[in-house]
Amino acid sequence: MEYAKANTTQWGKRYSAMMMSIPVNADLLKADNWTESNKLPYDSTYMDGHFGGWIEGNAVITPDGKIIDLLRADNTEKDARDKAAIVHISEDGKTASFNPATGFIDFPGGSKKFTIRYDSLSGLYWTIANYIPEAYKIESRAASIRNTQALCSSADLTNWTVHTVLLQHADVEKHGFNYVDWVFDGKDILFVSRTAYEDGVGGARNFHDANFLTFHRVKNFRKLKKKKLEQFQNAEATQHTSSK
């Protein structure tokens, strides 16, 4: 989660990344049972001065059994590059640490909220995120481009593959698919989206201020992993594109 009691009320700058944990069999309603990590505050020097803040993190177990907080990271530079941040959590849950030199990764849709879940059958981590296709990489903050939701996966939480576009509209100003959350349902994925779209009475005010909550099903999602629209290879610090 994010601790929001900073010396400012400004969005982004007020949030500190942190983790809370509790033993599986403990009483969730007893405050003393919870362990709280230290809080990592906003730092204006991150991303070469283009760091807008980090929020809406995911508590994820890595392939080697460690715990990380993989967060949405706001990039204020107007080049539509999506980034996410990886904060490492100690085994006892008390220490959160971050290396700005290696902690920011290329992540499709990383500047918008995303949810990550692990699928043991495919051996992959999956997310549905606001990927920005080349056609929509306008001169804008990446966080402002939400007209596309895509299914993505990773074997290591660092290098991500975009498999297929699930939702898309050509207009980026008043159409958006926001704050998706989802679950596995056998061979399928079920997800909901806070959606800005035409409604016959003027539509949404903008891409963010949605006028619908929409429900969707992705059938046989594991078969879609064979398709690759784009790969984000952070280990090589390059971006590769392959045919659909």
Side-chain angles (χ1 to χ4, degrees):
M1 61 182 64
E2 291 73 56
Y3 183 76
K5 291 186 178 180
N7 294 325
T8 177
T9 59
Q10 185 174 347
W11 186 94
K13 294 183 179 181
R14 67 183 297 196
Y15 301 115
S16 298
M18 60 174 291
M19 182 83 76
M20 290 185 69
S21 57
I22 190 170
V24 172
N25 296 319
D27 186 346
L28 300 178
L29 299 182
K30 290 186 177 180
D32 291 343
N33 290 339
W34 288 88
T35 296
E36 182 179 307
S37 77
N38 58 301
K39 305 168 184 67
L40 299 178
Y42 167 85
D43 190 321
S44 63
T45 66
Y46 288 170
M47 290 185 176
D48 296 324
H50 296 292
F51 180 58
W54 46 17
I55 59 171
E56 298 168 343
N58 292 257
V60 187
I61 299 175
T62 66
D64 57 357
K66 297 179 180 179
I67 297 176
I68 62 171
D69 181 8
L70 210 164
L71 300 105
R72 165 186 175 184
D74 184 41
N75 175 16
T76 64
E77 194 170 12
K78 292 186 177 181
D79 62 358
R81 282 189 304 162
D82 271 319
K83 296 285 185 178
I86 296 179
V87 170
H88 294 271
I89 307 297
S90 62
E91 188 172 349
D92 62 6
K94 295 181 179 180
T95 304
S97 59
F98 180 72
N99 183 344
T102 59
F104 290 110
I105 63 170
D106 293 321
F107 186 102
S111 64
K112 286 79 65 169
K113 186 184 186 303
F114 53 88
T115 298
I116 296 173
R117 292 194 167 90
Y118 179 72
D119 171 47
S120 60
L121 294 181
S122 62
L124 295 172
Y125 298 89
W126 293 86
T127 190
I128 297 174
N130 282 123
Y131 160 65
I132 306 175
E134 286 293 333
Y136 298 106
K137 287 184 179 178
I138 58 177
E139 187 177 344
S140 174
R141 288 175 66 167
S144 298
I145 304 175
R146 306 188 184 190
N147 66 318
T148 303
Q149 283 284 359
L151 181 68
C152 313
S153 74
S154 173
D156 59 8
L157 294 170
T158 301
N159 301 297
W160 288 84
T161 297
V162 179
H163 295 290
T164 188
V165 170
L166 302 175
L167 300 172
Q168 189 175 72
H169 192 282
D171 172 59
V172 301
E173 293 185 7
K174 293 189 176 182
H175 294 79
F177 309 100
N178 300 270
Y179 307 103
V180 162
D181 206 348
W182 59 272
V183 294
F184 296 117
D185 184 45
K187 296 180 180 180
D188 302 343
I189 283 177
L190 308 179
F191 72 95
V192 290
S193 166
R194 200 180 89 181
T195 299
Y197 216 83
E198 287 97 351
D199 57 13
V201 290
R205 188 164 70 94
N206 55 47
F207 68 88
H208 179 272
D209 298 348
N211 52 342
F212 289 103
L213 183 66
T214 55
F215 172 84
H216 309 266
R217 179 184 293 273
V218 183
K219 294 185 177 180
N220 296 316
F221 75 94
R222 294 182 187 93
K223 292 185 178 181
L224 294 174
K225 74 184 182 69
K226 297 178 181 179
K227 299 180 180 180
K228 296 180 181 180
L229 292 183
E230 194 165 355
Q231 291 176 288
F232 292 76
Q233 301 288 349
N234 288 279
E236 300 175 4
T238 58
Q239 181 172 294
H240 301 283
T241 303
S242 59
S243 59
K244 185 174 180 181

